[in-house]
């Protein structure tokens, strides 16, 4: 049975989009087929940005037109006919989905007597319980008291009750951060039953407009600067209608500065202040008045080489400032930081487990790639570990760091020059204030690491001078941090080769006592399950003993990530039907695994089809507990493994997470140089989970 939920409010600007995004993200961990529906949407040339944002979520596979019921004009013309059309279109969406998130209309006087009453009527007719969103801020921007919120709830409840809509929960969004408990208490008293009430604090960042939206609002043009930085939000406005020195005193972090186009002195001073580490980092500059810059001024700006966006508009100072202050920020798909902020607020302040229980969602019987990825983040968040990221000069690392910190996935140290790293993050509009920034040339650590490295490599004739030079390499520096307990794990490789990333771990971290070889696996997320493939990235041609090590390590990795351990030792032959050196190697490796770990379900040699297909497995190996049900696949060599994982990734549309290194005493993981931000986030989460396991082992031994 499809379970649905209807998100609505009694007024505009309550932040339904934040709640809808958080709810959609939560549901994506619980259901395979998610839907989004907007019963009443704008029918003008401008598409509904909230709906487009939600449809952009990875878990949703619907078109914009399918997800819309009717337009506002349709409701005004004939509310009953519009409702019939809404139900008809909703049923078509419901038939395709396990759960549908229904987002009520914006507050635009859709129906009579109030818009909420029409939304309540729609919810009742769609059979969807209502998650009521109340705005914690009044229209003039003042925080509402607990008594005010209780009164707002009472008004809303009357409308829901009159339409016989079922209330599943109340979220007071944009609440006064200093009075969350009081607000929850006040509204809970007004609710009067066991309906849960949650309060999410106001976050000014979520309502801040991006520089791109300000560019459009003032009908401006980008004169110079990095167009990618137009995504940054403007957290304030400074109208530079004064002398240069007074403007510099009034600059605000993350603000947009409005400068008259003929005030070249103020423009240049503002650009220089932004480039300096002693002044706030700005979001951008808007030159008003439509004046052309003098050639000599443009030459000076060229010399400053500042990426800060400079926008020109023909409006005067007053109109420019008025337009900017009236431009409201949107939770749009192109703002990753807003996404992360909204998700983090929902995760931290709404009891998702309780909400899911009230929706009566049953645990999923399949595991989709998205479910698995979110499971990684959840597990890493339970006991945050300290991960070092050596490649602080890579924008992808900074973006991933912002997401990881905002979502509470891990504690981070980023290697690089602190001024440069924090400066670039500020330019990108990223918040990495929670990360430590450490220079690999830090003298105290450099000497400490060099001394340790000389001890470790004394048998190779290592000298102090060479060691001091070696440990300033970011991979060596990060690995030494892990070795000495200054970090729990390391993730690198976005800008370095695999060899550059993992060579230091072979020299410094080394293998676990019972493991002879470092290997890797890919976590292959298929449509309905997750499999483990090893080794697909490190060892070209392992012998039988090494292959057995890879199998045992792969089973341990599978266990760490909640995957059943049924090991298929792959070959071109199944059982006793074939012979030859390659088959004999796999047969010997299988015997070694059974001898060393009799508790593991392992079979081989076995062909891939017999390992995955129940019918083929039963035919070729009828007595095997692995055939047709394998979850861990051990390939005989790197050539086979690497090609197979890529073939499955491309042809079956699987999500390949990895390579995940295994066999090391402490976790070090490599990234592809083409890694996306989400790949980095996933790999850090995996590394953190591995570090949790290391910490648990130490605790057991203590």
């Amino acid at each position: 049975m499809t379970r649905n939920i209807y998100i609505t409010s009694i007024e505009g600007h309550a932040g339904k989009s934040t709640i809808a995004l958080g709810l959609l993200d939560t549901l994506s961990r619980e259901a395979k087929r998610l839907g989004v529906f907007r019963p009443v949407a704008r029918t003008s040339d401008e598409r509904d940005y909230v709906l487009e944002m939600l449809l952009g979520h990875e878990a949703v596979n619907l078109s914009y037109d399918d997800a819309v019921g009717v337009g506002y004009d349709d409701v005004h013309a004939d509310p009953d006919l519009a409702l019939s059309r809404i139900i008809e279109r909703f049923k078509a969406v419901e038939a395709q989905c396990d759960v549908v998130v229904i987002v009520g209309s914006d507050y635009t006087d859709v129906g009579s007597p109030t818009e909420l009453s029409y939304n309540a009527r729609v919810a009742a007719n769609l059979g969807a319980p209502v998650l009521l969103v109340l705005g914690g801020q009044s229209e003039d921007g003042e925080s509402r008291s607990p008594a005010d919120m209780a009164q707002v709830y009472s008004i809303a409840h009357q409308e829901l009750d009159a339409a016989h809509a079922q209330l599943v929960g109340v979220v007071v969004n944009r609440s006064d951060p200093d009075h969350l408990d009081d607000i929850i208490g006040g509204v809970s008293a007004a609710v009067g039953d066991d309906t849960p009430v949650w309060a999410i604090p106001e976050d000014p960042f979520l309502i801040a407009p991006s520089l791109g939206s300000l560019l459009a609002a003032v009908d401006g043009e980008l004169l110079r600067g990095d167009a990618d930085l137009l995504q940054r939000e403007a957290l304030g406005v400074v109208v530079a209608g004064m002398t240069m020195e007074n403007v510099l005193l009034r600059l605000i972090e993350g603000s947009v500065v409005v400068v008259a186009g003929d005030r070249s002195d103020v423009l240049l001073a503002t650009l220089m202040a932004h480039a300096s580490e002693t002044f706030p980092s700005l979001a951008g500059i808007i030159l008003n008045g439509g004046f052309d810059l003098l050639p000599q001024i443009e030459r000076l700006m060229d010399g400053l080489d500042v990426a800060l966006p400079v926008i020109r508009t023909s409006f005067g100072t007053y109109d420019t400032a008025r337009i900017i202050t009236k431009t409201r920020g949107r939770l749009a798909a192109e703002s990753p930081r807003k996404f992360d902020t909204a998700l983090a607020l929902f995760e931290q302040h709404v009891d998702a487990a309780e909400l899911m229980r009230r929706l009566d969602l049953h645990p999923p019987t399949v595991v989709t790639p998205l479910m698995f990825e979110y499971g990684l983040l959840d597990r890493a968040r339970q006991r945050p570990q300290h991960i070092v990221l050596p490649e602080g000069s890579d924008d992808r690392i900074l973006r991933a760091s912002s997401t990881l910190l905002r979502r509470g996935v891990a504690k981070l140290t980023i290697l690089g020059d602190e001024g440069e790293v924090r400066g670039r993050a500020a330019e990108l509009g990223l918040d990495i204030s929670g990360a430590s920034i450490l220079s690999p040339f830090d003298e105290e650590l450099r000497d400490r690491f060099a001394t340790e490295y000389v001890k470790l490599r004394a048998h190779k004739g290592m000298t102090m001078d060479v060691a001091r030079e070696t440990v300033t390499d970011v991979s060596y520096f990060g690995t030494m941090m892990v070795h000495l307990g200054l970090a729990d794990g390391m993730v690198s490789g976005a800008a370095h080769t695999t060899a550059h990333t993992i060579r230091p771990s072979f020299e410094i971290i080394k293998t676990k006592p019972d493991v002879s070889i470092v290997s890797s696996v890919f976590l292959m997320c298929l449509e309905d399950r997750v499999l483990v493939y090893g080794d697909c990235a490190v060892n070209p041609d392992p012998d039988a003993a090494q292959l057995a090590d890879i199998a045992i390590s792969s089973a341990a990795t599978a266990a760490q990530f909640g995957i059943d351990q049924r090991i298929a030792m792959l070959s071109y032959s199944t059982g006793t039907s074939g012979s030859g050196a390659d088959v004999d190697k796999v047969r010997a490796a299988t015997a070694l695994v059974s001898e060393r770990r009799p508790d593991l379900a392992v079979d081989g040699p076995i062909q891939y089809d017999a390992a995955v297909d129940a019918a083929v497995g039963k035919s070729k190996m009828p007595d095997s507990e692995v055939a047709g049900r394998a979850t861990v696949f051990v390939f005989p060599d790197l050539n086979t493994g690497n090609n197979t994982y890529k073939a499955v990734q491309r042809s079956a549309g699987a999500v390949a997470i990895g390579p995940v290194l295994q066999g090391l005493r402490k976790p070090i993981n490599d990234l592809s140089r083409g890694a996306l931000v989400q790949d980095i986030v996933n790999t850090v989460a995996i590394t953190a989970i591995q570090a949790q396991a290391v910490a648990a082992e130490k605790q057991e031994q203590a």
Side-chain angles (χ1 to χ4, degrees):
M1 176 182 176
T2 302
R3 291 310 306 254
N4 311 309
I5 186 167
Y6 198 108
I7 302 173
T8 191
S9 180
I10 194 172
E11 58 190 338
H13 306 308
K16 292 194 302 294
S17 57
T18 297
I19 308 307
L21 180 63
L23 182 59
L24 190 66
D25 210 59
T26 299
L27 286 167
S28 66
R29 311 169 204 178
E30 307 291 334
K32 183 179 179 183
R33 302 179 304 161
L34 286 185
V36 177
F37 189 70
R38 190 83 142 137
V40 185
R42 296 178 179 86
T43 53
S44 63
D45 292 338
E46 182 185 4
R47 286 160 71 94
D48 190 301
Y49 75 90
V50 172
L51 180 56
E52 286 202 315
M53 175 192 70
L54 297 175
L55 288 171
H57 195 284
E58 292 176 293
V60 179
N61 185 25
L62 291 171
S63 72
Y64 182 93
D65 291 337
D66 287 342
V68 173
V70 298
Y72 289 106
D73 292 342
D74 299 316
V75 180
H76 278 295
D78 190 333
D80 293 333
L81 182 61
L83 179 56
S84 297
R85 180 64 172 155
I86 288 170
I87 295 172
E88 177 187 345
R89 293 189 61 80
F90 172 75
K91 289 299 180 182
V93 170
E94 185 182 40
Q96 305 174 50
C97 304
D98 300 318
V99 184
V100 182
V101 176
I102 309 163
V103 185
S105 59
D106 295 326
Y107 204 77
T108 51
D109 189 30
V110 169
S112 177
T114 67
E115 183 171 356
L116 178 59
S117 68
Y118 193 78
N119 277 282
R121 187 180 170 196
V122 173
N125 278 275
L126 298 184
V130 170
L131 182 63
L132 179 66
V133 181
L134 304 179
Q137 302 284 318
S138 63
E139 290 186 5
D140 58 5
E142 294 295 322
S143 295
R144 287 171 168 160
S145 68
D148 292 336
M149 293 314 311
Q151 181 64 27
V152 173
Y153 167 77
S154 297
I155 296 170
H157 186 257
Q158 292 175 17
E159 302 293 348
L160 296 175
D161 223 23
H164 306 289
Q166 174 194 353
L167 186 66
V168 73
V170 180
V171 179
V172 185
N173 195 27
R174 303 185 59 203
S175 301
D176 183 343
D178 297 326
H179 296 93
L180 295 183
D181 291 340
D182 293 337
I183 289 170
I184 291 172
V187 176
S188 295
V191 172
D193 56 26
D194 67 343
T195 300
V197 177
W198 300 288
I200 296 178
E202 166 80 320
D203 190 323
F205 178 74
L206 284 179
I207 60 171
S210 69
L211 204 60
S213 64
L214 295 182
L215 171 68
V218 300
D219 194 22
E221 61 173 318
L222 181 64
L223 281 184
R224 58 180 57 235
D226 187 346
D228 288 341
L229 302 187
L230 292 174
Q231 294 181 18
R232 184 177 182 182
E233 284 71 22
L235 301 179
V237 182
V238 176
V239 180
M242 57 204 79
T243 60
M244 177 183 68
E245 55 271 25
N246 285 319
V247 170
L248 294 178
L249 290 173
R250 288 166 172 79
L251 295 180
I252 303 170
E253 183 72 27
S255 62
V256 60
V257 182
V258 179
V259 181
D262 59 350
R263 289 296 305 271
S264 302
D265 57 332
V266 176
L267 169 62
L268 292 173
T270 304
L271 286 170
M272 293 175 67
H274 171 76
S276 168
E277 294 182 11
T278 57
F279 281 86
S281 172
L282 305 176
I285 297 174
I286 297 182
L287 298 175
N288 63 270
F291 299 102
D292 290 329
L293 294 175
L294 295 173
Q296 53 268 43
I297 299 301
E298 294 205 11
R299 286 176 59 197
L300 283 171
M301 292 172 70
D302 289 338
L304 290 174
D305 190 28
V306 176
L308 184 71
V310 178
I311 295 168
R312 179 169 59 192
T313 178
S314 59
F315 288 109
T317 300
Y318 172 77
D319 286 332
T320 301
R322 177 180 57 81
I323 292 169
I324 290 174
T325 54
K326 286 190 174 182
T327 302
R328 186 177 180 83
R330 292 177 171 182
L331 181 55
E334 64 267 15
S335 177
R337 185 179 168 191
K338 277 189 176 178
F339 250 55
D340 294 336
T341 301
L343 293 177
L345 287 171
F346 188 90
E347 290 168 348
Q348 292 163 14
H349 297 282
V350 176
D351 186 345
E354 172 65 12
L355 186 54
M356 294 303 102
R357 185 185 68 79
R358 288 178 173 269
L359 288 176
D360 194 26
L361 288 177
H362 300 292
T365 57
V366 300
V367 179
T368 68
L370 206 54
M371 290 177 184
F372 185 72
E373 288 180 1
Y374 284 125
L376 293 177
L377 300 187
D378 280 342
R379 287 189 57 192
R381 213 171 5 234
Q382 289 170 12
R383 284 180 291 146
Q385 302 292 300
H386 186 173
I387 307 300
V388 58
L389 303 172
E391 298 161 319
S393 60
D394 193 299
D395 286 355
R396 292 168 296 169
I397 295 295
L398 300 181
R399 294 185 188 279
S401 297
S402 178
T403 295
L404 291 160
L405 293 167
R406 198 71 182 91
R407 304 286 297 277
V409 176
K411 303 171 187 175
L412 300 179
T413 290
I414 304 172
L415 299 188
D417 178 86
E418 182 164 13
E420 293 177 2
V421 171
R422 294 202 186 279
R424 181 55 182 169
E427 281 186 339
L428 295 169
L430 303 173
D431 181 8
I432 60 166
S433 57
S436 298
I437 312 297
L438 190 58
S439 169
F441 294 94
D442 178 280
E443 279 302 318
E444 182 179 347
L445 288 177
R446 184 181 184 179
D447 287 342
R448 179 183 174 186
F449 291 175
T451 300
E452 179 68 13
Y453 189 60
V454 168
K455 291 180 182 177
L456 293 171
R457 304 296 289 174
H459 64 288
K460 294 290 185 178
M462 181 58 58
T463 66
M464 191 65 179
D465 287 342
V466 174
R468 277 179 54 82
E469 182 66 28
T470 300
V471 297
T472 59
D473 178 283
V474 291
S475 290
Y476 276 91
F477 194 93
T479 303
M480 194 61 75
M481 286 183 65
V482 176
H483 171 66
L484 292 175
L486 302 179
D488 301 310
M490 183 181 88
V491 172
S492 189
H496 294 90
T497 65
T498 295
H500 187 273
T501 297
I502 67 176
R503 184 186 298 114
S505 65
F506 294 162
E507 297 178 2
I508 298 168
I509 302 295
K510 301 181 180 177
T511 60
K512 294 178 180 179
D514 56 344
V515 176
S516 65
I517 190 172
V518 175
S519 58
S520 72
V521 295
F522 277 89
L523 304 175
M524 302 297 294
C525 303
L526 304 181
E527 186 179 356
D528 58 352
R529 63 195 185 280
V530 181
L531 304 176
V532 177
Y533 282 13
D535 176 6
C536 304
V538 178
N539 298 289
D541 188 18
D543 60 28
Q546 292 172 331
L547 208 56
D549 257 2
I550 292 170
I552 293 170
S553 293
S554 298
T557 299
Q560 283 182 338
F561 296 102
I563 302 168
D564 292 336
Q565 302 115 69
R566 292 186 292 274
I567 310 168
M569 306 294 286
L570 297 173
S571 177
Y572 60 78
S573 175
T574 296
T576 59
S577 64
S579 61
D582 292 337
V583 179
D584 291 342
K585 178 179 78 169
V586 174
R587 187 173 288 116
T590 305
L592 285 171
V593 174
S594 296
E595 179 184 333
R596 290 173 55 187
R597 290 291 305 274
D599 57 308
L600 291 176
V602 59
D603 224 330
I606 186 171
Q607 292 162 291
Y608 192 93
D609 60 345
V612 298
D613 188 289
V616 177
K618 186 176 181 180
S619 170
K620 292 189 174 184
M621 300 185 79
D623 299 325
S624 172
E625 61 178 311
V626 173
R629 303 174 60 238
T631 54
V632 178
F633 297 78
V634 179
F635 295 93
D637 53 56
L638 185 59
N639 181 55
T640 307
N642 191 269
N643 278 293
T644 303
Y645 107 76
K646 288 183 178 178
V648 173
Q649 179 186 34
R650 300 299 180 186
S651 60
V655 175
I657 300 177
V660 180
L661 295 185
Q662 54 189 19
L664 291 166
R665 290 186 298 114
K666 293 184 179 182
I668 305 290
N669 277 308
D670 179 42
L671 295 166
S672 162
R673 276 172 285 177
L676 304 177
V677 171
Q678 188 59 46
D679 297 330
I680 299 170
V681 170
N682 288 341
T683 304
V684 170
I686 284 171
T687 308
I689 293 169
Q690 290 178 314
Q692 290 172 353
V694 171
E697 287 176 9
K698 283 186 177 179
Q699 194 170 8
E700 288 178 3
Q701 295 168 1

